Structures are given as C-alpha cells and as structure tokens.
Amino acid sequence: MNAQNAHILSKLQETQEAVTSLVDAGMTVTNISIEGRVPRIDLQKKPRKKMQVCWKVIRPGKGGGRECEMAALLNGCEVRWMEENYQ
C-alpha cells in the first residue's frame, strides 16, 4: 500500500472513532471532511458534554446579536459547532 492510501485509511479510522464517541454522547453530526491535515466534524448544536475549546470566532449574527463558531479536538479530529445569540 502506498503512503497516501495508508494516510487516508488512518484518518478515516480516527474520524470513525471520533464520530462514534460523539453519537454515543447524544450529539448530531452534520458533516465530515477528511481533506487536509486534520479531519473536520461539524455538529448540529453545541456539544452536550464539555469539550476543551481550542479556538473560537465571534462575529455579528445574521439577525443581530453575535454568533460564535467554536472548535475542539477529539481523537485527532477538529469538531466544530455554532452558537447563535452568543453572550
């Protein structure tokens, strides 16, 4: 097996384990991307369990107020979600 295929298979396994953990915790996964260095998993809502935020971006919301996009790392994957009406 060439190095690229081995890399993709490794990232798929990391992503599968992370998604299983999130689903088992009652969260809804809306998108998965394994492009790039770190696989990305998008959640429908803020995580039910506390996750250590590694970055966040606060910006004006569409209907006023502020929205915040956050990310945490889980099993080598970046998990992202949005919080609207962020205080």
Side-chain angles (χ1 to χ4, degrees), residues 47 49-55 70-74 77 79 81:
K49 69 176 186 176
K50 181 93 171 148
M51 296 181 78
Q52 179 68 41
V53 174
C54 63
W55 64 259
M70 296 187 195
L73 294 177
L74 177 65
C77 300
V79 179
W81 65 93

Side-chain angles (χ1 to χ4, degrees), residues 2-85:
N2 67 40
Q4 179 61 29
N5 288 341
H7 171 75
I8 292 295
L9 289 173
S10 169
K11 293 300 175 185
L12 281 171
Q13 183 174 353
E14 289 175 1
T15 305
Q16 176 63 46
E17 290 171 8
V19 167
T20 299
S21 174
L22 292 166
V23 169
D24 288 347
M27 294 176 236
T28 301
V29 174
T30 59
N31 190 50
I32 298 168
S33 172
I34 61 165
E35 295 176 17
R37 187 177 54 85
V38 178
R40 176 179 165 178
I41 302 168
D42 294 338
L43 297 178
Q44 183 180 36
K45 297 179 185 175
K46 172 181 167 178
R48 291 185 179 185
K49 69 176 186 176
K50 181 93 171 148
M51 296 181 78
Q52 179 68 41
V53 174
C54 63
W55 64 259
K56 66 181 174 180
V57 176
I58 301 170
R59 56 185 163 254
K62 296 173 184 106
R66 300 186 311 172
E67 66 182 15
C68 183
E69 183 176 7
M70 296 187 195
L73 294 177
L74 177 65
N75 199 45
C77 300
E78 182 181 74
V79 179
R80 291 188 185 190
W81 65 93
M82 281 290 242
E83 292 185 24
E84 296 187 24
N85 302 317

